[in-house]
Amino acid sequence: MSESSNIPLASKRLDPLIVHPDFNFPDADIILFVTARCLLEGQLPVHTDIRLAPSDSGRTNDSDGEEDFPSQTSRERKEPIPEHHSQTTLFKVHKSVLGRASEVFADMFTIPQPSIQNTVDGLPIIYVHDDPIDVHNLINHIYNSDVLHYLPLRQSTFDIMSSIIRLSRKYLLLRLAPAAMFRIRSDWPTTLEEWDKNELHLLAITRWNAQVRYDSQDGRSRLGPEDHLVEPCGVIRFARQEDIPEILPAAFYHLSRISSLNDPHRPKSGNESQKRAHCSWTEGCRYATRSFLTPADWDTLMIGKAEIRAWFANFRKYGWQSIHAKNCGAGDPNGCVLSSQEGWKSYWEETIELLTRKTLGQDGLDVMEILHDLRQAVLHDENLCPACRIQARNIIAKET
């Protein structure tokens, strides 16, 4: 072998080299050299030709140095990596593409480089000390930035956007960061209109996930990561870390409607484990990793759930007293139950309270969904005249 190494000894001896298969362009002119925890689920065979610049000591990596610096020229690594083992992930990419997205990369590429430098497969190296998952998500979006607004509302989309925001200050992502922030805020909105729009999208994913489960012949199929709904505890932790408080109300509400039993880290046994696993399928893989929460987050969650439950109990019992509730003016007692003096009170007790009787016992109480179902129910109630159906729907709508 030719030259010697000035790569840190730990990297040379312990860290397997992985060329990420998504970013292994044959015409690449730069390599991002990321050493951290494992990014890929398994080891891939990797062919590399590493040529290293002379070290400060001037020592060459000849046969005398093979004991200290094992040869890594044109070698294929196939041995498995133990779980949580550190590894080096290589991204073979293009300077021009990275430079357009990041002012830091653009400036870095303009700095004159020494005539002799470390290379991998003949390409210069940039050492990156960031989470390789964040680096992967960032590069993935840099190369596919035109699809940002078309990505569905799911966990993988949130992972990409959060990676961009985490790295935005370090790499001055002046174009990508605002778009990623806009997407995060859109997915966790502050208006009911945007929330309802997202819920329709999530409902479609949930039904599809459930259908995948039911259509399985062996009953043991599993959803892929691309089908998972966004996990809210990770969103809450991200919002705290990056100081984005405006997305917290939506994230906490989403968390409040997920049963505590739907936590992948909650100990389960026997039949309960099977039932809960099946439940997570029918709910479209909605789950929450509550171990991400801080004590302050737990306080916020518990207080919020208690306030929602108290409001809903009051709504079930006294909603008929709304100032917008007017007795039917049609004057036909046989055509509308609201034509009597006590019409609203009777209708509320016999219909609304009955429809919502079981909801207070639910661990994950989704008040928004319940009110949506109530609006649809009264709109098609044959015991009401057309005018009072609209009136009842509007009264329930005003409560949201």
Side-chain angles (χ1 to χ4, degrees), residues 111-395:
I111 299 175
Q113 300 296 319
S115 58
I116 301 177
Q117 57 180 313
N118 294 342
T119 63
V120 173
D121 294 342
L123 301 177
I125 296 172
I126 292 181
Y127 295 95
V128 177
H129 304 286
D130 296 298
D131 188 323
I133 295 179
D134 281 345
V135 175
H136 171 267
N137 288 335
L138 172 60
I139 299 176
N140 186 30
H141 187 54
I142 288 176
Y143 276 87
N144 302 282
S145 59
D146 56 326
V147 301
L148 170 63
H149 299 292
Y150 304 100
L151 294 176
L153 179 53
R154 60 191 183 194
Q155 185 64 44
S156 58
T157 301
F158 172 77
D159 292 341
I160 293 174
M161 299 304 109
S162 58
S163 293
I164 292 172
I165 293 172
R166 270 192 293 268
L167 298 178
S168 61
R169 286 186 292 271
K170 180 177 181 178
Y171 294 105
L172 295 180
L173 306 173
L174 301 183
R175 181 175 58 87
L176 295 181
M181 185 67 75
F182 178 83
R183 177 59 195 263
I184 288 285
R185 288 169 172 156
S186 297
D187 289 348
W188 300 93
T190 57
T191 66
L192 183 60
E193 181 181 3
E194 289 296 317
W195 176 270
D196 288 343
K197 184 177 70 173
N198 288 347
E199 282 297 287
L200 291 176
H201 186 98
L202 292 176
L203 180 61
I205 295 178
T206 300
R207 289 175 174 173
W208 170 255
N209 289 349
Q211 190 65 36
V212 170
R213 172 66 176 178
Y214 294 140
D215 286 348
S216 171
Q217 295 181 355
D218 60 6
R220 292 184 292 179
S221 64
R222 293 293 180 266
L223 301 178
E226 69 278 1
D227 297 311
H228 290 176
L229 303 181
V230 185
E231 192 282 310
C233 296
V235 176
I236 292 171
R237 181 174 64 175
F238 168 76
R240 301 287 196 200
Q241 293 171 342
E242 300 300 323
D243 192 24
I244 316 176
E246 60 269 29
I247 70 174
L248 286 172
F252 270 110
Y253 178 75
H254 178 44
L255 175 59
S256 73
R257 61 185 184 161
I258 298 178
S259 171
S260 301
L261 300 178
N262 282 9
D263 189 324
H265 300 294
R266 175 183 176 272
K268 305 176 182 67
S269 60
N271 294 333
E272 182 191 3
S273 178
Q274 297 178 1
K275 291 179 180 178
R276 294 306 166 192
H278 179 73
C279 181
S280 70
W281 285 113
T282 58
E283 294 183 2
C285 211
R286 292 179 184 236
Y287 69 99
T289 307
R290 290 171 174 81
S291 59
F292 290 167
L293 300 178
T294 66
D297 293 333
W298 274 107
D299 287 345
T300 300
L301 176 63
M302 293 297 101
I303 293 173
K305 292 181 70 170
E307 290 181 346
I308 289 174
R309 195 171 294 275
W311 176 89
F312 186 66
N314 185 74
F315 168 78
R316 290 184 68 247
K317 190 170 184 64
Y318 302 110
W320 61 274
Q321 295 180 350
S322 169
I323 61 174
H324 304 286
K326 306 296 182 182
N327 286 342
C328 179
D332 182 6
N334 297 322
C336 181
V337 297
L338 300 183
S339 59
S340 64
Q341 186 175 5
E342 295 294 319
W344 268 107
K345 184 176 184 298
S346 299
Y347 180 74
W348 206 263
E349 292 174 348
E350 297 172 5
T351 303
I352 304 300
E353 288 192 42
L354 182 62
L355 289 175
T356 58
R357 182 174 55 187
K358 297 181 180 180
T359 56
L360 284 178
Q362 298 175 0
D363 179 22
L365 181 62
D366 191 348
V367 172
M368 303 288 281
E369 182 179 3
I370 294 170
L371 294 177
H372 175 271
D373 292 343
L374 284 178
R375 292 198 302 269
Q376 297 302 313
V378 300
L379 195 59
H380 298 88
D381 192 341
E382 296 182 354
N383 293 317
L384 303 179
C385 68
C388 286
R389 292 176 191 173
I390 296 176
Q391 181 187 189
R393 182 201 62 182
N394 291 341
I395 289 174

Side-chain angles (χ1 to χ4, degrees), residues 70-122:
S71 172
Q72 303 204 29
T73 299
S74 299
R75 67 186 301 179
E76 179 177 352
R77 297 178 173 272
K78 292 184 179 179
E79 65 274 11
I81 301 177
E83 187 176 2
H84 304 307
H85 194 291
S86 178
Q87 74 179 28
T88 296
T89 307
L90 308 181
F91 297 87
K92 294 186 175 183
V93 290
H94 306 91
K95 293 180 181 179
S96 59
V97 177
L98 297 186
R100 285 196 297 269
S102 164
E103 289 192 3
V104 171
F105 280 127
D107 292 342
M108 189 183 304
F109 298 146
T110 63
I111 299 175
Q113 300 296 319
S115 58
I116 301 177
Q117 57 180 313
N118 294 342
T119 63
V120 173
D121 294 342

